[in-house]
Amino acid sequence: EVPGRIEEIYVTAGDMVSKGKPLVRVDPTQLQSNQEAQWAATQASLSDVQNARNAVNSAQQSLVVAEASVAAARQQVVSFQTAVDRAQVEVNSAQRELKRHTEMIEAGVSSRLEYDAARDRFETAKIGLETAKANLEAQKIAVKEATERANQQKIAVKEAQTSIKTSEMRASQQAAMLRGQQSQRSKATQLRSEEHTS
């Protein structure tokens, strides 16, 4: 079953042999070398499996961070929407005040100073509203970007999980090949008779 150069022959033609008695010894050098190379390949495959598992863990941790960023960004959207609503109320209030002062100045009841102050409050409120709206829009973009990062991280987790399966299959294949090499080497050094005569 094992190819190679015979180093020793333990029986001669016509000898009576018993089951389990060695018949020949084949030079195990090449088989040992093959077994050692296969052992190294098996160890490398097992290392690949561990590296793939580490990659999955890392990708899952990054996914948790990315999902937390999405949640935080969405919470900020709520906060910025509240700021927009508040700013809109301030604009409406300042606009009503400015309208009253405009009517009062036209009727000659209000001073120009009070009108100017009301106009300034209205303009400031409008700027506050625009700023709040801009912040809200920027935060909505941040939510979109955070969601995209989380989706990319989900893909990375799936790819890493697939990598584990591939690495495990390679490691199983290498281990099977190693068992084959060990069997071949065993047969080279312990070829035994299965019959009573040779």
Side-chain angles (χ1 to χ4, degrees), residues 34-49 166-182:
N34 290 346
Q35 181 184 347
E36 289 169 358
Q38 190 58 51
W39 182 85
T42 301
Q43 293 304 310
S45 292
L46 292 173
S47 177
D48 288 347
V49 169
T166 302
S167 295
E168 286 173 341
M169 289 178 6
R170 254 194 319 270
S172 293
Q173 180 184 26
Q174 293 296 333
M177 292 171 67
L178 177 60
R179 286 190 299 275
Q181 290 291 333
Q182 289 168 332

Side-chain angles (χ1 to χ4, degrees), residues 18-24 187 189-195:
S18 58
K19 184 175 181 176
K21 181 180 176 189
L23 301 177
V24 295
K187 289 175 183 174
T189 56
Q190 300 178 6
L191 293 176
R192 299 178 188 279
S193 169
E194 297 299 326
E195 302 174 5

Side-chain angles (χ1 to χ4, degrees), residues 126-147:
K126 280 187 357 184
I127 291 169
L129 177 60
E130 293 306 314
T131 300
K133 285 180 177 179
N135 288 340
L136 176 61
E137 290 307 311
Q139 194 58 36
K140 285 180 180 178
I141 291 169
V143 167
K144 232 183 229 183
E145 290 171 350
T147 302

